[in-house]
Amino acid sequence: MSMGLPGAAGDRVWSGGPPDPVAFPELYDGVIWRRVAAYAIDLAILALIGAAVWVALNVVGLLSFGLLMPLVGPAMALVPIAYHGLLVGGASSATIGMRLLGLQVRTVTGAQPSIWQAVLMAVLFYTTVGLTGSLILLVSLFNERRRTVHDFLSGMVVVRTTTTPTVRPPY
């Protein structure tokens, strides 16, 4: 399945950095709103997973007569990191929300990210958003590829996977 990207047809790898937004605008059109909506979907899924993990950890904590209760907080902090790391670093290179909205995470060379790159991206996301109250995400409004700070720092780019041909004026 090819996205029509420059480079090899089947492996979606490009050379010299991410595709140019002028030459391939369909890869970046609507990426910002799709990322926001995808994250809202992922938050709902994370709430369900987090609730199940919280209940399980508290049961285990009670069965250990409270000895394991100090591990509940750190384990809960790992839930979103594991969710993003395993899914973005997995075969589809996208979380469930991203898949539903036709997005995919790629390295700057177009390769599929490894689990460790995906974990780094997630840790950077939660750290930068937590430290700045989400204001850091405004960076995506000021660059052509709609990349955020955590995208730049982890060497990733988010592109659309379901694209329609863009009709450009003849001039």
Side-chain angles (χ1 to χ4, degrees), residues 14-28:
W14 50 75
S15 61
D20 181 24
V22 174
F24 297 94
E26 62 274 6
L27 293 177
Y28 305 102

Side-chain angles (χ1 to χ4, degrees), residues 7 15 25 29 62 76 83 110 126 129 138 146 159 165:
S15 61
D29 285 344
L62 291 173
M76 289 301 295
Y83 175 83
Y126 286 108
V129 166
L138 294 175
R146 304 299 182 221
V159 294

